[in-house]
Amino acid sequence: MDVWPFERETAGDQGIPRTCLPWPASRPHRAAPGRTLTMPVLLLAGDRDLSTPVRWAREAAAATPRAELVVLEGVGHSTQSRSDAGARAATEFLLR
């Protein structure tokens, strides 16, 4: 597993992966036929997020017709509360 820019120990010991270990295996639900989000959607992704990688945000944006993806450099999982750029992007999106 690629965990750059972190060392493997940092990525493995940061808590979130350990939280998920006892969860039972499951399969995602299939999308309901004919259901597509039609409203504007903002996706914020930190490029240092170990919990929800940017790749997932890109996949979600590609599957959502009116998605706007903002990738925040040097930001982890808390894209709004710990990033002025994330908070600003959310505010601008909501005030349009």
Side-chain angles (χ1 to χ4, degrees), residues 4-71:
W4 183 92
F6 304 98
E7 297 171 345
R8 286 195 173 279
E9 297 78 29
T10 301
D13 291 340
Q14 57 93 22
I16 292 173
R18 294 187 184 287
T19 301
C20 301
L21 286 175
W23 291 4
S26 65
R27 288 178 284 166
H29 295 289
R30 292 189 320 178
R35 298 278 181 144
T36 302
L37 295 177
T38 57
M39 75 290 286
V41 174
L42 174 65
L43 299 164
L44 297 175
D47 71 347
R48 305 273 170 96
D49 187 347
L50 293 174
S51 306
T52 53
V54 173
R55 175 177 50 87
W56 294 359
R58 288 194 202 320
E59 290 170 2
T64 308
R66 296 183 62 197
E68 178 181 333
L69 173 60
V70 176
V71 177

